[in-house]
Amino acid sequence: YAYALKTEGESFTLQHVGTEPSGRPFNDLTLMPDHRPFNPSVNAGAIIIAGLIASASPQHSARTLTQEIMDFWFALSGEHEEVRFSQETMVSERDTGHNNFAIAHLLSARRGLPRNVDLQKMMELYLSCCSIEMTASMLSVAAATLANGGICPTSGAQILPTEIVKKTLSVMQFSGMYDNAGSFLYEVGLPAKSGVAGAVMVIVPNLMGFA
């Protein structure tokens, strides 16, 4: 989402994905009344974000775009460890992701895909992003970069504009923990994002990040 805001701009991004908590499971097929996904954290929102990024570069393959996103994670995490790609995970996700493909077809039928992007390319990019591998320590530095207004604390580089970080943390706060986001916000009160692999990254703004 932060990458899309940086490369595609807020206005165009928000035409295709909402900023509302859904209160629903991450893989739910429900969309908002205007047929946008509720937010970029649920699968429908993440899929449409992949469509935004893929549609902006019709000349580039999904694997090339995945590498650009891996390079973004590499910068967020301080460029100390290699960001890896799991082909095994990619194949597994592709062969078993029937619900995700159903979401993609639903998005195409209801509202249309960004710039009429090819659905298969969009899904290849989405599933490839699901197959990126990082360590917990790398995620903690990425979280610290978000906590530090987009400046990586280990490299000193400005990876994201502060305004994009603010918007990203807002979305993480109300949707990063999916249908438990409300309870997490009530009990913990911090922007966080869980992943299907079991990792959780948490941001303490202006102080620290951990995973």
Side-chain angles (χ1 to χ4, degrees), residues 129-140:
C129 286
C130 293
S131 306
I132 294 172
E133 292 185 342
M134 296 170 63
T135 66
S137 62
M138 294 168 74
L139 276 178
S140 71

Side-chain angles (χ1 to χ4, degrees), residues 120-172:
Q120 294 301 321
K121 180 179 179 181
M122 176 181 75
M123 288 304 297
E124 185 180 349
L125 179 58
Y126 168 74
L127 297 174
S128 294
C129 286
C130 293
S131 306
I132 294 172
E133 292 185 342
M134 296 170 63
T135 66
S137 62
M138 294 168 74
L139 276 178
S140 71
V141 176
T145 300
L146 295 175
N148 199 33
I151 300 173
C152 179
T154 60
S155 71
Q158 179 94 42
I159 311 303
L160 285 168
T162 302
E163 199 58 35
I164 287 180
V165 173
K166 287 181 181 179
K167 297 179 187 305
T168 301
L169 294 184
S170 295
V171 168
M172 290 176 71

Side-chain angles (χ1 to χ4, degrees), residues 16 22 25 39 60 73 75 106 142 163 170 180 206:
H16 297 280
S22 71
N39 57 69
H60 292 149
W73 275 112
L106 180 66
E163 199 58 35
S170 295
N180 290 314
N206 302 315

Side-chain angles (χ1 to χ4, degrees), residues 48-49 53 67 99 144 163 172 181 185 187 197 199-200 211:
I48 210 69
I49 290 294
I53 295 168
Q67 185 59 55
N99 194 80
E163 199 58 35
M172 290 176 71
L185 180 58
E187 296 289 343
V200 177

